[in-house]
């Protein structure tokens, strides 16, 4: 069982009908994505063609920051603003989509970009699913 799932199990108050499974999956994806984006950006910096990867590196950094923030917001439950949560999730979807698209352009030549694109698409899906579940 993940840390996110274990922490939710111990939460002393009602979560207001939030689908715990979707919440856990989203938090986990939002924690995994920054690691992939950070590693991909670092790998891009080590490539011979680093000048061609500038946009990819910046997009990785942006996505990592947005996903990490989303994970933190989703991990706080007491009195959080549902509108703010929805906006943060939408921002995460946008950042993940942009990063996956950019990494996808380099995936044929760089395995780290292929992996990062896959992780970003997964995070995008988990955020979309949680958004849908929140209504």
């Amino acid at each position: 069982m993940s840390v996110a799932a274990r922490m939710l199990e111990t939460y002393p108050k009602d979560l207001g009908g939030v689908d715990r499974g979707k919440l856990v999956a989203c938090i986990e994806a939002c924690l995994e994505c920054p690691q992939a984006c950070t590693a991909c950006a670092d790998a891009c910096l080590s490539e011979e063609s680093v000048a061609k990867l500038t946009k990819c590196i910046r997009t990785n950094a942006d996505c990592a920051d947005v996903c990490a923030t989303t994970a933190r917001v989703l991990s706080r439950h007491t009195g959080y603003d549902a509108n703010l949560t929805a906006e943060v999730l939408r921002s995460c979807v946008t950042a993940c989509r942009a990063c996956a698209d950019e990494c996808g352009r380099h995936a044929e030549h760089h395995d780290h970009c292929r992996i990062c694109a896959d992780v970003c698409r997964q995070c995008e899906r988990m955020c979309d699913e949680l958004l849908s579940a929140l209504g």
Side-chain angles (χ1 to χ4, degrees):
M1 180 180 298
S2 72
V3 171
R6 289 178 20 221
M7 291 305 293
L8 277 174
E9 273 189 5
T10 66
Y11 192 71
K13 297 201 177 201
D14 178 31
L15 293 175
V18 173
D19 183 317
R20 285 179 185 246
K22 287 185 188 331
L23 180 58
V24 167
C26 192
I27 292 170
E28 290 172 349
C30 287
L31 291 171
E32 187 172 83
C33 198
Q35 191 282 323
C37 290
T38 301
C40 185
D42 186 63
C44 287
L45 288 168
S46 296
E47 294 289 351
E48 294 287 327
S49 59
V50 68
K52 294 179 183 177
L53 296 167
T54 303
K55 184 176 180 185
C56 190
I57 294 164
R58 287 187 177 126
T59 306
N60 275 309
D62 290 344
C63 188
D65 288 346
V66 171
C67 289
T69 298
T70 302
R72 287 191 302 272
V73 169
L74 293 177
S75 295
R76 294 188 290 263
H77 311 293
T78 305
Y80 70 91
D81 184 333
N83 291 325
L84 174 64
T85 300
E87 288 303 319
V88 169
L89 283 166
R90 279 191 277 280
S91 293
C92 196
V93 166
T94 300
C96 287
R97 185 176 301 129
C99 194
D101 289 348
E102 183 59 30
C103 282
R105 288 190 251 296
H106 308 286
E108 186 177 316
H109 297 30
H110 306 293
D111 285 340
H112 53 85
C113 286
R114 180 185 48 77
I115 293 166
C116 188
D118 291 344
V119 172
C120 288
R121 295 253 185 254
Q122 176 67 11
C123 189
E124 177 186 356
R125 278 191 299 279
M126 294 301 98
C127 288
D128 265 337
E129 287 183 19
L130 184 56
L131 261 171
S132 295
L134 293 175

